Amino acid sequence: MAEAHSAVAFSFAITHEGFDINYDHEVLNLVWNSGVRSWKKRLARARNGVRNGVYPAHIQSLWLISAIALGLHFAGYQAPFNLTNRILVHLPSNTINWQVAACFAAALVIWLSICFTMRYTLKLLLMYKGWMYESRAPGSRVSLPTMLWVAVVRVLSSWNKPGLYSFQGSLPRLPLPSVSDTMTRYLRSVRPLLDDDNYTRMERLAKEFEQTIGKKLQWYLILKSWWSTNYVSDWWEEYVYLRGRSPLCVNSNFYGTDAIFMNLTDKQAARAANVISLLLNFRRLIEHQELQPIMVQGMIPLCSWQYERTFNTARIPGLETDRIIHYRDSNHIVVLHKGCYYKMPIYYKGRILRPCELQVQIEEILKAKATPVDGEEHLAALTAWNRSKWAEARNTFFSRGANHVSLRTIESAAFVLSLDDEPFEFDLARPELLDNFGKKLLHGNGYNRWFDKCFTVCVGTNGRVGFNAEHTWSDAAIASHMWENLIVDDLVSEGYDETGNTKGTPEFQPPTPTRLSWDLTPCLTQIEEATIDVTKLINEVNLRILVHQEYGKGFMKKCRISPDAYIQMALQLAYYRDAGRFSLTYEASMTRLFREGRTETVRPCTIESAAWVKAMQNPNTTNDERVKMMQDAADRHQLGYQDAMCGRGIDRHLFCLYVVSKYLEVDSPFLNEVLSEPWRLSTSQTPHGQTPKMDLKKHPNCISAGGGFGPVADDGYGVSYIIAGENLIFFHISAKTTCQQTDVHRFAGNISQALADIRSMFEKHMKDHPKPAKPLTNGTASK
């Protein structure tokens, strides 16, 4: 009751002496500061909205044009199209003041015309994707159209410093491929997976689909592509993520690890405080749109739409479909420690708390003697449960009272912080430590991560950190950018003193974190059932993190092969040796060159890659033949990747055609078979070097080990990899322990062997075919 009384900020009563008003000045001041902060953000959004609307022009250029218009008018010259005089005739009089007003109006019209001309010129230029297909090999020449295009785009994109969303209005829409093109690409992609009879059958189904129902479905997609910003993204979010009923744990959420080669501090509270501060700084950059948009080759922007929901976001379970809720602002985070939940304020006295003040709050939580109430320790298992069951429990037991208030506190938090009771360890001599590190981040114990939240930051007792992120609100590249920015800033900011604590002295006693109140007795049965289910789920998954240090992208570039294509070919060879056959392979590619773009699928298992893999297994194939076949396979893979990035992919188009067919209640044997094909090898490359702050020459240990995800198919592998340096690659390999055909340790060994075999192949080829010496330009002989 004492806590309830202290929570009252304002009350009044009528007595025989009049009104009796009681209020807590401290709390009302907190409310006032919250309102001021909210209005500041609204004004900043309005200002940024104007700046983004006229980008790439400068807002300040309006005053220059206004001055020119005034000068021309009062010097006796006409403005373009005689705009000033045409506006003046519609004004009440011809006085000096009205002439000035007419000049400003004419300047505004001219300025807006220039702004939108520049904007739509940039949009037309960004529709050109020929640059993607230009050869990047040493000595290759760039075509004249691309050279001219580069020059103009560089001028327009560097005309003004962009904000985070400045390019959104200039990005083109994702193009819709024709049914014929998609059928051609699809049939080519499945050729190495089917024997002659099955391929002939698939050709017949594809032709029948293209000539009949495919035309009707395509017309609906054409209308959607004209009307909506992106014809894929909203359906992808709804049907692939929100309507999925499987648990988010392992099946959907992904994780990211710390920079494992360095440990800035071994104090859990200090590292947690600095991480919180850096994440909140990143949130401020997003809110103020001061975060620089990612630019390919420094001039071609990627869509920044997904950054909006990085913080203050939660996925809310529903009986049939979930929904994403994003809160405009949040002045707290939620901390989970030893099964207890705490609301931790991050603002006080009109400003955000500093790391040293945040550390005081974290230490209070770590020192607390609190014990969880019945059901509280395993509460988060509900978020790792079947979505419909969790929704039913949420509607029944969390719709009112203390449970409703506490649940809303978690869902509206900026993010969740989990202070774990064990260390996150790494030792090259003991690879099982890094495997355990990854498992703790992927699923933990099943109830120490709030899987519905945008992301949960996990801090080990030794100061190492990682995160577990929900996938609906964005793709892994966004979380990876945030995490990479954090790791670099944590290093360069030098935020720890010699004792390992955060630097600085608190200016005041920060507000004490408060326990969240729960009444979980009515739903103990549901919590227990969810705990049993998630325990079974995580016991069925195994994870192996392979650290490959023999060589990296430096050697791959010497082979004149794209590092991504190189690794994908190694994975094809490793999988064939592991399973004895080829399988449908998924590689995630981004479509953020287009507005609201997310991902597209690249299919690395091609006719060329299959031929090369068979050649590697055939002792009668010469080394030169193998090299040539791998180069052809890599070129084909690179073309597939380029097509995917340029909106010429296969799978998103087929997915949308399937959605339309379900709306129309039309059955398609072709689409049913295509959409039911299992991805037994699901792969993804974690982006690296997204922030220009990362300088590996200056800070060689500032390398995250990347992150991973669970297997997509019960009898398949999930493989995430990050090319972390010139001689370092991390592979995160997951599989189900219940499948007899898969084994993460065996597959990791096959990957290592495949990489070694490819290296030997190219080294032999380079030895047999040395490059001719370059002729000397000065005519003198070499000494």
Side-chain angles (χ1 to χ4, degrees):
M1 290 297 293
E3 291 181 358
H5 282 298
S6 66
V8 177
F10 178 84
S11 65
F12 72 94
I14 300 176
T15 67
H16 65 279
E17 296 179 353
F19 290 102
D20 182 18
I21 300 176
N22 296 306
Y23 63 90
D24 188 322
H25 178 76
E26 186 85 14
V27 178
L28 290 182
N29 187 54
L30 190 66
V31 172
W32 169 259
N33 289 331
S34 179
V36 169
R37 187 174 68 253
S38 177
W39 277 104
K40 284 182 178 179
K41 288 184 178 180
R42 292 183 186 182
L43 291 174
R45 290 190 190 106
R47 183 179 67 251
N48 287 327
V50 173
R51 183 182 71 170
N52 295 336
V54 301
Y55 188 86
H58 290 264
I59 296 179
Q60 294 82 351
S61 60
L62 173 61
W63 311 121
L64 175 62
I65 295 177
S66 298
I68 294 173
L70 287 168
L72 288 174
H73 179 75
F74 289 105
Y77 297 98
Q78 291 185 358
F81 306 105
N82 198 22
L83 271 178
T84 305
N85 292 327
R86 289 185 178 185
I87 293 172
L88 194 58
V89 298
H90 296 287
L91 298 180
S93 66
N94 197 24
T95 62
I96 294 295
N97 288 341
W98 286 113
Q99 289 183 46
V100 171
C103 289
F104 276 116
L108 180 62
V109 172
I110 295 170
W111 179 71
L112 288 174
S113 301
I114 294 172
C115 290
F116 284 104
T117 299
M118 294 177 68
R119 177 173 171 174
Y120 284 101
T121 299
L122 181 59
K123 188 169 187 174
L124 288 171
L125 288 167
L126 292 178
M127 292 175 69
Y128 173 72
K129 295 294 182 289
W131 62 273
M132 281 284 296
Y133 298 92
E134 297 280 354
S135 174
R136 291 169 176 79
S140 60
R141 299 185 63 181
V142 179
S143 65
L144 181 60
T146 297
M147 290 177 63
L148 295 174
W149 175 84
V150 167
V152 179
V153 170
R154 194 177 294 278
V155 169
L156 285 176
S157 60
S158 61
W159 185 270
N160 186 7
K161 183 179 180 180
L164 180 60
Y165 303 124
S166 292
F167 287 105
Q168 293 302 99
S170 300
L171 290 171
R173 297 188 181 194
L174 182 68
L176 176 66
S178 69
V179 176
S180 176
D181 287 347
T182 298
M183 292 300 102
T184 301
R185 292 192 184 98
Y186 172 77
L187 290 172
R188 194 182 197 286
S189 72
V190 298
R191 186 64 187 96
L193 306 174
L194 303 175
D195 57 30
D196 292 342
D197 291 340
N198 281 318
Y199 181 73
T200 302
R201 182 181 62 84
M202 187 56 72
E203 274 188 316
R204 177 178 54 78
L205 288 175
K207 186 175 182 181
E208 179 184 333
F209 172 79
E210 180 182 348
Q211 294 178 349
T212 55
I213 188 178
K215 295 180 180 179
K216 181 179 181 180
L217 302 181
Q218 180 75 353
W219 272 112
Y220 283 97
L221 280 188
I222 291 172
L223 291 174
K224 188 173 190 289
S225 69
W226 288 347
W227 179 252
S228 60
T229 306
N230 189 298
Y231 81 93
V232 175
S233 293
D234 57 339
W235 284 354
W236 186 253
E237 181 173 302
E238 179 179 358
Y239 294 105
V240 172
Y241 293 113
L242 296 178
R243 292 209 179 189
R245 300 293 83 196
S246 299
L248 300 183
C249 176
V250 175
N251 296 311
S252 179
N253 285 28
F254 59 94
Y255 69 89
T257 63
D258 202 355
I260 58 174
F261 290 108
M262 63 181 190
N263 199 5
L264 301 175
T265 176
D266 59 359
K267 288 188 164 39
Q268 187 177 24
R271 187 74 194 280
N274 238 18
V275 166
I276 293 169
S277 179
L278 292 170
L279 287 173
L280 294 177
N281 287 339
F282 193 80
R283 185 179 74 160
R284 190 189 69 82
L285 291 177
I286 293 175
E287 291 174 341
H288 291 215
Q289 298 187 28
E290 296 172 359
L291 184 68
Q292 291 295 301
I294 294 179
M295 311 278 281
V296 178
Q297 298 182 358
M299 63 176 182
I300 304 146
L302 299 184
C303 178
S304 301
W305 160 69
Q306 296 179 57
Y307 284 90
E308 182 179 353
R309 300 184 293 184
T310 306
F311 297 87
N312 324 331
T313 301
R315 175 169 166 171
I316 309 302
L319 294 176
E320 295 183 357
T321 181
D322 295 356
R323 56 197 173 98
I324 285 286
I325 289 186
H326 172 68
Y327 296 86
R328 281 288 189 178
D329 191 19
S330 180
N331 58 8
H332 71 278
I333 66 170
V334 167
V335 180
L336 173 57
H337 177 57
K338 290 187 176 179
C340 299
Y341 291 81
Y342 300 83
K343 178 182 179 181
M344 181 172 144
I346 52 180
Y347 288 95
Y348 190 64
K349 293 190 175 182
R351 68 164 174 81
I352 195 169
L353 296 176
R354 297 192 176 97
C356 58
E357 295 155 353
L358 293 168
Q359 183 176 348
V360 173
Q361 293 178 302
I362 296 294
E363 287 174 343
E364 287 184 30
I365 294 174
L366 291 173
K367 293 175 184 177
K369 303 297 183 181
T371 56
V373 300
D374 288 346
E376 185 179 10
E377 182 178 5
H378 294 170
L379 176 63
L382 293 172
T383 67
W385 206 16
N386 174 277
R387 301 305 291 172
S388 297
K389 291 181 178 180
W390 168 211
E392 186 176 351
R394 187 180 190 275
N395 295 339
T396 304
F397 305 109
F398 296 86
S399 59
R400 64 185 67 86
N403 289 348
H404 174 73
V405 173
S406 295
L407 182 61
R408 181 178 172 83
T409 300
I410 295 175
E411 292 173 347
S412 63
F415 55 89
V416 171
L417 178 78
S418 178
L419 298 171
D420 285 11
D421 295 329
E422 50 190 340
F424 298 162
E425 297 177 295
F426 167 70
D427 186 346
L428 279 174
R430 299 175 62 194
E432 70 278 2
L433 294 179
L434 188 56
D435 297 346
N436 290 331
F437 191 171
K439 291 175 185 177
K440 291 170 187 175
L441 299 177
L442 176 62
H443 48 64
N445 58 19
Y447 44 83
N448 60 354
R449 313 280 180 257
W450 196 267
F451 295 101
D452 285 358
K453 199 65 186 143
C454 47
F455 61 91
T456 299
V457 177
C458 314
V459 188
T461 54
N462 59 346
R464 291 194 184 277
V465 296
F467 71 89
N468 179 288
E470 203 277 317
H471 212 326
T472 310
W473 61 272
S474 84
D475 299 311
I478 308 302
S480 173
H481 184 194
M482 173 191 73
W483 200 246
E484 182 179 286
N485 191 84
L486 179 147
I487 288 175
V488 176
D489 283 349
D490 203 8
L491 174 66
V492 301
S493 63
E494 298 180 349
Y496 308 96
D497 61 23
E498 59 278 359
T499 66
N501 291 300
T502 54
K503 290 183 177 179
T505 304
E507 295 182 0
F508 45 73
Q509 179 64 31
T512 301
T514 57
R515 279 284 307 276
L516 299 187
S517 299
W518 304 99
D519 179 15
L520 303 174
T521 303
C523 58
L524 288 178
T525 301
Q526 286 76 9
I527 293 175
E528 183 180 358
E529 184 182 342
T531 304
I532 293 172
D533 287 352
V534 71
T535 302
K536 179 182 178 183
L537 175 65
I538 64 180
N539 287 338
E540 290 177 351
V541 177
N542 204 357
L543 180 71
R544 172 79 174 92
I545 301 180
L546 171 65
V547 184
H548 184 268
Q549 290 184 295
E550 283 69 28
Y551 67 97
K553 65 181 178 181
F555 176 77
M556 298 173 189
K557 289 177 180 178
K558 290 181 180 179
C559 302
R560 298 191 176 184
I561 289 181
S562 157
D564 181 72
Y566 190 106
I567 291 177
Q568 284 294 334
M569 294 306 104
L571 291 175
Q572 287 298 306
L573 178 58
Y575 185 84
Y576 187 83
R577 288 173 173 174
D578 187 88
R581 57 185 167 86
F582 297 107
S583 178
L584 192 61
T585 306
Y586 179 105
E587 182 188 4
S589 166
M590 61 91 174
T591 56
R592 289 170 58 202
L593 291 169
F594 304 94
R595 192 169 183 179
E596 294 186 13
R598 290 201 61 162
T599 61
E600 176 58 276
T601 303
V602 183
R603 295 183 168 218
C605 184
T606 61
I607 297 172
E608 290 79 6
S609 68
W612 169 75
V613 168
K614 290 179 180 178
M616 292 294 290
Q617 298 297 96
N618 184 358
N620 296 324
T621 309
T622 66
N623 193 71
D624 288 350
E625 289 174 333
R626 291 174 176 174
V627 169
K628 178 64 170 62
M629 294 173 79
M630 179 167 174
Q631 289 171 339
D632 292 342
D635 290 342
R636 168 54 64 176
H637 177 80
Q638 193 72 1
L639 178 62
Y641 205 101
Q642 292 163 342
D643 283 342
M645 289 183 65
C646 294
R648 301 189 184 104
I650 300 168
D651 292 276
R652 298 301 177 269
H653 186 201
L654 293 175
F655 162 75
C656 289
L657 290 170
Y658 181 76
V659 172
V660 175
S661 73
K662 289 303 177 183
Y663 272 121
L664 297 178
E665 297 182 348
V666 177
D667 188 64
S668 168
F670 172 75
L671 290 177
N672 289 338
E673 184 163 341
V674 169
L675 271 295
S676 64
E677 294 171 344
W679 301 96
R680 292 191 175 90
L681 181 56
S682 181
T683 70
S684 179
Q685 179 181 177
T686 303
H688 189 258
Q690 294 189 81
T691 171
K693 299 177 183 178
M694 179 166 283
D695 185 353
L696 293 182
K697 292 182 179 179
K698 187 176 180 181
H699 307 291
N701 290 331
C702 188
I703 295 175
S704 168
F709 50 87
V712 174
D714 289 340
D715 58 347
Y717 293 104
V719 182
S720 174
Y721 54 94
I722 179 170
I723 307 172
E726 292 296 316
N727 294 292
L728 183 62
I729 310 169
F730 292 95
F731 292 89
H732 300 248
I733 308 160
S734 63
K736 293 289 184 72
T737 58
T738 51
C739 178
Q740 300 297 321
Q741 289 75 40
T742 57
D743 183 280
V744 293
H745 297 282
R746 186 183 69 217
F747 192 54
N750 283 324
I751 292 175
S752 296
Q753 188 59 52
L755 289 169
D757 291 346
I758 297 173
R759 181 182 188 179
S760 298
M761 178 185 74
F762 275 106
E763 285 179 339
K764 185 177 187 306
H765 181 74
M766 294 174 186
K767 182 179 179 181
D768 294 341
H769 305 277
K771 292 181 181 179
K774 292 183 179 180
L776 298 174
T777 56
N778 58 6
T780 58
S782 174
K783 292 185 180 179

